[in-house]
Amino acid sequence: MSDIRWIDAPANAHGRAARLAVRATGAGPLTVLLHGYPLDHRMWDAVRDGQLADHRTLAAIDLRGHGSSPSAGDDAHAMERFADDVAAVVDALAPDGRADVVGLSMGGYAALAFAERHPQRLRSLALVDTRAAADAPAARANREAAIAMATTQGASAIADAMLPKLLAPGADPAVAKALRAMIADTPVATIVADLRGLRDRADRTALLPAIAAPALVVVGEHDAITPVAEAEAMACALPCARLVVVPGAGHMTPMEQPAAFAEALAAFWRAIG
Ligand code: MLT
C-alpha cells in the first residue's frame, strides 16, 4: 500500500522552505529513495512494487520542484539543500531518526551531501549509477548548453537529448516511454535549477573514506553517463562497501533491471543486518 505524505522542509542558507511529497510503501525501518535529474518518484515504481517493501518502509521523495513537490522558487538546487530536505523527511518519518539512503545519479550526489551533513541520520548508503567527483570544465560547459536548450526549446528537447544516453542497448521501449514522460513533465524552471546545482556541486571524493556507514555501489554494465570505472573507484575509496555491476542495464538500473537491482539491495541489507 502506498500513500502520499507531505513534509515541510525549513529554509536555510542553501534554499527556501519547501513542501515535499513523499510516497511511502511497505513496513519496517525507513529507506529513502532519491531520484535522478530531471525525474521524480516514478522512477522507483517497479522497485517499490517488489520484494523490498517486505523489509523496509520505502519512501520515494519528489525532490523540490519535481513530481508533486512544488518549486520553492530557488534559482539553483544545491545538493546541500536536497540533503537537508531529506533530513527533514527522515526526522518526520523515521521512528529511530535514521534511514537507509538510496540515490541514483543526482540523487546519489544528494545522498553524498547527506552523508557529509547528516551522518547521524544515515544507517546505510546505496550509491546507484552516480559519481563522487564534481563536474569537469567540459561537463560544466554542457550544463550551460543544456540550460540554453531547456529555456529556448523546453523539457521535450531535454528528453530527446538525454534518452539515447540513459538506457542500455535493447532497453524495453516501455521504460524509454516512461522516462520521456517524466522528463517532459518536469517544469523548465526545475530543470534549470537542477542544472545549476549539478554544475556547481562539490567534489566529494575526499569524503568517501570518512563514511562510516555500510555502503553499496550499484552500476549498470552499460552506464554511459557514470561508467563502471567510476563506480569501482567509489567502492574502493569507501571503507565498507560492496560493488554490484548489473548486467543489461545502462544509467537507469532500477528501471531497466528492477529485479536484479532489488536483489542487490536486499542482499546488502541482509548482510548488514
Ligand atoms: C542524473 O541522472 O541524475 C544525471 O545524469 C546526473 C548528471 O547529469 O550528472
Side-chain angles (χ1 to χ4, degrees), residues 33-36 43-44 47 101-109 111-112 125-131 216-220 223 226 231 234 244 246 249-255 261 264-265:
L33 303 172
L34 309 181
H35 60 77
M43 65 147 283
W44 301 107
V47 170
V101 177
V102 181
L104 177 131
S105 203
M106 181 178 79
Y109 310 153
L112 283 170
L125 178 64
L127 298 170
V128 186
D129 296 297
T130 190
R131 60 163 56 88
L216 171 69
V217 179
V218 181
V219 65
D223 188 339
T226 49
M234 279 197 299
V244 176
V246 177
H251 186 60
M252 297 305 305
T253 301
M255 292 181 74
F261 176 77
L265 211 46

